[in-house]
Amino acid sequence: MGKSIIKQNGECDLKVRARVVVSGRVQGVFFRSETQDEALRHGLTGWVRNLPDGRVEAVFEGEKDMVDRLIEFCRRGPPGGRVTRVEVAWEKYTGEFKSFSIRYGY
């Protein structure tokens, strides 16, 4: 699931990757924008996009505790949203992203 990274001070961070699909009233309520803001605030990389069926999909990479926090944000959603389901799939950390972006199109 994750990859351990040893910091200069000797502490170990577990880097993980999660693919998240959120259902409910999650489009047209700034879900992607708020998710991007939260991801950047927590030092995460990856992306978020709308799906044609009305759900939102995202990939988060970074320290496990920060990814967990962003998943918790997805369970609540932004004001105006209403989350009914959050599916989380843990994948192998790749480190492929430089930042966190909103993807457009399917």
Side-chain angles (χ1 to χ4, degrees):
M1 173 175 82
K3 179 178 180 181
S4 294
I5 307 293
I6 306 297
K7 293 182 181 178
Q8 287 181 343
N9 65 4
E11 292 179 7
C12 182
D13 286 331
L14 180 62
K15 299 284 189 176
V16 299
R17 176 183 178 118
R19 180 175 303 273
V20 178
V21 178
V22 185
S23 302
R25 189 167 39 125
V26 294
Q27 292 189 14
V29 294
F30 299 99
F31 200 100
R32 290 176 301 165
S33 177
E34 294 281 337
T35 300
Q36 181 183 43
D37 289 347
E38 288 292 317
L40 294 172
R41 185 175 6 268
H42 290 92
L44 300 178
T45 61
W47 52 264
V48 62
R49 69 177 175 179
N50 285 341
L51 293 175
D53 62 5
R55 298 179 301 162
V56 169
E57 178 184 30
V59 171
F60 308 135
E61 283 199 343
E63 295 178 20
K64 182 165 186 336
D65 59 336
M66 296 297 133
V67 171
D68 286 339
R69 287 184 190 185
L70 200 51
I71 291 169
E72 283 307 309
F73 166 79
C74 288
R75 292 186 196 288
R76 291 186 316 273
R82 188 176 61 80
V83 175
T84 58
R85 182 178 172 144
V86 176
E87 302 167 64
V88 179
W90 295 98
E91 301 176 347
K92 183 178 178 183
Y93 174 81
T94 66
E96 69 184 277
F97 307 112
K98 302 293 182 223
S99 182
F100 194 91
S101 63
I102 295 174
R103 290 190 174 174
Y104 299 93
Y106 309 112

